[in-house]
Amino acid sequence: MPVSVAIVGSGPAGFYTADALLKSGVDVRIDIIERLPTPFGLIRDGVAPDHQTTKKVSAKFERTALSDQVRYWGNVEVGRDVGLAELRRMYDAVVLCVGAPLDRPLGIPGEDKQGVLGSAAFVGWYNGHPDFRDLDPDLNTSAVAVVGVGNVAIDVARVLVKTEAEMAASDLTGYAAKAIRSAPLTDVYIFGRRGPVEAKFTNVELREMGKLENSVPQVDAAQLPDGVGDLADRDRRLKERNLATLREFAARRADEKPKRVHFRFYAAPVEILGGDRVEGLRLERTRVEKGRAVGSGEFFDIACGVVIAAIGYRADPVDGAPFDGDRQIVANTDGRVADGLYAAGWIMRGPTGVISSNRADGVAVAELVGADVPEGKKPGRVALETLLRERRVRHVDYAEWKKIEAAEAANATPPAPRRKFVTVEDMLAVLDEADERSVG
Ligand code: NAP
């Protein structure tokens, strides 16, 4: 009997795991279970809407989805439609690939004010994730503060300052485009609690900020060190490139363009200012000692109407799986969680790395499954299918996703690649209409 594997989550970790299992030589049948009707997780809802090239990896995932050994089960939520314990009873192996979808709190006073947003929510909003499409942020402000100096902070700042023409070939949702376009925004501040060498953004993303039509990057040359310090060769090259780019930015004039993105380092947020609404951010100047930000006791304020915390994500505990509250991941040893239960990607190791970093996780889990489960003993797909039918769960298969995808493409105004549906109801309505047409 083939080994039955349920993969929970259809983002990069889920698909790289499926791919690795297919290539492992084990005779497997894989079911990829996804909460939304739409597959690909952060490829669809996290990667910036103007970075369409990055999204092309979904073509590779599609080849995996179309394998005879793989079946996609969209619109099926583990914990709502089927329990994790049930899945473990039905499948020889269950792999959790559910990512880290929640915002980490800043943990400073004033965080509950209107206008304080986490990047998971804000990015989810502009990308049309059904969970966040009602966020409706009030962008009626001339200044936005973004906390954190990683790639997500850069994504957020870039999407806020790019022109309509620069976003034309993106799949930014219409409501977000409208809100951003009509905002009186002139200045975005990106705050790093450590220095430019410790910043997490990568150089391609940083350089892009110097090439925008309507916005100029601003850097205080006095914050840039002469060198990057003692680092391994690869790190050294990356950091030197970032420093060189930041030096170029330091020479740019503030009045070159109507908007500015200010990179401010050595500044840790300590309080959100204002009444019910955000009116500013208070920060403490820092210095870096042994790699850590140390407060100087000197504070400064900036006026802003929105604060976006782009400080990394945290996982949502999965009912029935042990959780490591310190690390905010499912408790696991190199991907092994419990007998027949595994994890890969951000839920396994935390929210770091690029899309392809998940490939190694998938390979590692496939090896574990191969070693632990030499032959299949559990029914897998047949049992899932029966259970979902009994519970009348309206699942979406891969062919149906392709219909949703085709409708999104048909609704787009070129050169935009798609106009996303942003509610599950609208996605399912496409399928109901297609059914009616085929009956009629
Ligand atoms: P990240 O790279 O971990 O950056 C988080 C930033 O937040 C860091 O600068 C961190 O500073 C700062 N931070 C954390 N807690 C803070 C606090 N309490 N106060 C102030 N600052 C705080 O996370 P991310 O930007 O969310 O990105 C997640 C992953 O996705 C990364 O691996 C990223 O490269 C990847 N990604 C890649 C792309 C791309 O390739 N284009 C795009 C988006 C995301 P410290 O360093 O001091 O902790």
Side-chain angles (χ1 to χ4, degrees):
M1 193 152 122
V3 174
S4 57
V5 182
I7 293 174
V8 184
S10 70
F15 269 103
Y16 278 122
T17 298
D19 183 51
L21 282 163
L22 289 177
K23 290 178 177 153
S24 69
V26 180
D27 183 17
V28 280
R29 297 291 175 276
I30 303 164
D31 290 310
I32 301 178
I33 301 171
E34 165 62 49
R35 180 167 80 91
L36 295 174
T38 53
F40 310 138
L42 283 185
I43 304 297
R44 178 179 166 96
D45 295 318
V47 170
D50 57 332
H51 279 179
Q52 290 296 318
T53 316
T54 311
K55 295 183 190 255
K56 289 202 169 130
V57 68
S58 58
K60 174 187 163 50
F61 297 158
E62 177 155 305
R63 287 195 289 279
T64 303
L66 294 176
S67 155
D68 289 344
Q69 290 159 270
V70 177
R71 186 86 71 81
Y72 172 72
W73 300 81
N75 203 35
V76 176
E77 185 169 341
V78 173
R80 179 192 67 186
D81 301 316
V82 55
L84 180 59
E86 289 174 322
L87 279 183
R88 292 181 68 189
R89 278 197 294 277
M90 294 189 280
Y91 285 85
D92 296 307
V94 176
V95 190
L96 299 173
C97 299
V98 293
L102 304 180
D103 277 309
R104 286 184 46 222
L106 277 165
I108 59 175
E111 202 163 2
D112 54 346
K113 292 185 197 310
Q114 257 181 59
V116 182
L117 305 165
S119 56
F122 192 68
V123 170
W125 170 73
Y126 65 56
N127 271 334
H129 189 297
D131 286 358
F132 301 109
R133 58 147 204 146
D134 292 326
L135 187 73
D136 195 22
D138 181 354
L139 300 179
N140 186 19
T141 177
S142 60
V144 169
V146 181
V147 178
V149 278
N151 281 329
V152 171
I154 294 215
D155 280 349
V156 164
R158 190 182 67 251
V159 168
L160 281 171
V161 298
K162 265 194 169 181
T163 62
E164 192 176 351
E166 283 174 306
M167 293 304 277
S170 81
D171 59 2
L172 180 68
T173 50
Y175 59 75
K178 199 167 155 215
I180 291 169
R181 246 192 344 260
S182 50
L185 190 66
T186 54
D187 293 88
V188 177
Y189 295 84
I190 301 187
F191 289 109
R193 62 180 168 182
R194 299 190 290 161
V197 174
E198 291 81 21
K200 299 266 177 65
F201 42 63
T202 40
N203 193 248
V204 176
E205 282 66 27
L206 182 64
R207 274 205 319 264
E208 197 180 348
M209 298 306 283
K211 300 176 194 154
L212 303 183
E213 213 172 284
N214 247 356
S215 167
V216 62
Q218 295 287 282
V219 172
D220 177 359
Q223 290 200 319
L224 302 179
D226 294 333
V228 297
D230 211 8
L231 291 173
D233 277 357
R234 185 168 174 277
D235 267 359
R236 162 182 294 279
R237 277 196 303 277
L238 295 175
K239 301 296 183 184
E240 278 172 350
R241 256 183 247 146
N242 276 355
L243 265 191
T245 306
L246 289 168
R247 268 189 213 108
E248 283 169 30
F249 288 178
R252 302 282 297 264
R253 282 197 345 262
D255 59 1
E256 260 181 57
K257 314 251 172 166
K259 297 182 184 183
R260 288 155 295 278
V261 173
H262 309 261
F263 291 87
R264 299 271 178 95
F265 299 98
Y266 305 107
V270 292
E271 187 178 352
I272 314 253
L273 307 172
D276 291 346
R277 288 202 48 86
V278 176
E279 287 167 28
L281 180 64
R282 178 160 297 160
L283 300 110
E284 182 174 16
R285 293 192 200 285
T286 63
R287 57 182 182 278
V288 175
E289 280 177 15
K290 293 186 182 145
R292 294 179 66 88
V294 178
S296 66
E298 194 191 326
F299 299 87
F300 67 101
D301 298 346
I302 62 133
C304 60
V306 172
V307 172
I308 301 173
I311 59 171
Y313 301 124
R314 68 188 171 88
D316 200 2
V318 178
D319 233 8
F323 196 66
D324 178 338
D326 290 339
R327 297 188 59 203
Q328 293 285 315
I329 54 175
V330 72
N332 74 94
T333 310
D334 299 329
R336 204 183 252 120
V337 178
D339 193 25
L341 184 61
Y342 307 86
W346 283 7
I347 183 75
M348 183 272 279
R349 62 182 157 78
T352 58
V354 290
I355 293 160
S356 58
S357 315
N358 295 290
R359 191 188 293 132
D361 299 347
V363 170
V365 165
E367 278 171 14
L368 292 179
V369 172
D372 293 353
V373 197
E375 60 177 43
K377 294 198 172 73
K378 299 188 186 175
R381 187 171 303 161
V382 190
L384 178 70
E385 207 158 13
T386 308
L387 184 137
L388 294 181
R389 198 179 317 115
E390 278 167 13
R391 293 186 182 163
R392 295 173 190 278
V393 176
R394 177 13 166 159
H395 80 271
V396 171
D397 63 23
Y398 203 79
E400 288 180 313
W401 148 244
K402 293 302 285 180
K403 287 182 192 163
I404 297 172
E405 186 188 43
E408 289 188 334
N411 289 344
T413 308
R418 66 190 64 81
R419 184 164 168 224
K420 286 178 177 174
F421 294 109
V422 297
T423 68
V424 170
E425 294 74 38
D426 286 348
M427 294 170 193
L428 297 182
V430 172
L431 305 179
D432 295 341
E433 280 162 25
D435 285 350
E436 274 166 31
R437 271 202 305 277
S438 65
V439 172

